[in-house]
Amino acid sequence: MTRGLFVTGTDTGVGKTHVAVALLRALAAAGVRAVGMKPVAAGIDAGAAVAADVAALAAADGRDVPLPDRNPYAFVPAVAPHVAARDAGVAIDLDAVAAAYGRLAAGADVVVVEGAGGVRVPLGPAVDMLDLARRLRLPVLLVVGVRLGCLNHALLSADAVAARGLALAGWVANRVDPGMARADDSVADLRARLPAPLVADLAWGAAGAVPAGALAALGLAPA
């Protein structure tokens, strides 16, 4: 059975794509057929065919899969996904995303699914990003941007994951603010309080690798 992981974050700009790309590269290096998926992307640079996040996932896994499966919903404006969808007259259909996920999974051992924004970003009037993770029946990897406010954001995000009945497989500390005071203390506090293992602690400007053992901790290591 194909395994999968839903990569989400405590906010936008915390490094979800960075982490998803690192996981895809680690899986490829371990001989695992992995593919990256971005169900909803909002924000396509002028002159670009796809969102930068989608392009990064494709470059990392190197797999030739249909773009509509890798990225079922793509919107040009860099605004909240539900706003972009509403303006385009489109309803984001979780069943359509699940169908695309199933087609990707049929040709892969692992599907790494990257969300957009944080865990509660709306996708429509009554659905949000965690509803998508639940529809795909995937465990969650939470990327925590280590900056002022991260304790509150991370703990609330973990509570939201649990409230949906989703498994929090682990979390990543991504040190997005090199000038943050007492950053080590915040990471230590989260290690003590979050109900899942810290699978990677990424330094500011890290080249994009996850440590040995991260795949095993997430249940993604080769059998």
Side-chain angles (χ1 to χ4, degrees):
M1 180 179 296
T2 301
R3 291 167 290 173
L5 186 69
F6 192 84
V7 180
T8 187
T10 51
D11 200 350
T12 191
V14 297
K16 294 183 303 296
T17 303
H18 180 81
V19 170
V21 163
L23 287 172
L24 288 167
R25 289 175 176 162
L27 287 162
V32 177
R33 297 181 309 157
V35 63
M37 180 185 192
K38 179 94 173 180
V40 183
I44 299 177
D45 294 336
V50 298
D53 293 354
V54 177
L57 296 176
D61 66 39
R63 297 180 63 81
D64 184 14
V65 299
L67 180 59
D69 287 346
R70 188 188 293 279
N71 177 210
Y73 293 96
F75 304 103
V76 172
V79 297
H82 72 297
V83 174
R86 184 182 63 210
D87 289 351
V90 173
I92 296 173
D93 184 346
L94 301 191
D95 288 339
V97 174
Y101 173 87
R103 290 188 290 270
L104 293 177
D109 301 316
V110 174
V111 183
V112 176
V113 181
E114 182 193 343
V119 299
R120 291 297 312 276
V121 164
L123 295 176
V127 294
D128 62 22
M129 202 57 62
L130 288 181
D131 290 315
L132 176 53
R134 186 167 60 177
R135 178 63 184 84
L136 299 179
R137 300 179 182 178
L138 293 179
V140 171
L141 175 65
L142 181 66
V143 180
V144 178
V146 181
R147 57 193 181 200
L148 192 63
C150 67
L151 296 176
N152 182 62
H153 293 166
L155 295 172
L156 286 175
S157 296
D159 285 348
V161 170
R164 300 297 176 88
L166 294 165
L168 184 61
W171 65 285
V172 172
N174 192 24
R175 303 203 180 213
V176 297
D177 179 3
M180 179 185 177
R182 308 294 292 269
D184 288 346
D185 288 343
S186 290
V187 172
D189 282 342
L190 289 175
R191 289 190 75 167
R193 295 169 186 267
L194 286 173
L198 172 64
V199 299
D201 186 349
L202 304 180
W204 166 254
V210 294
L215 298 183
L218 294 169
L220 302 179

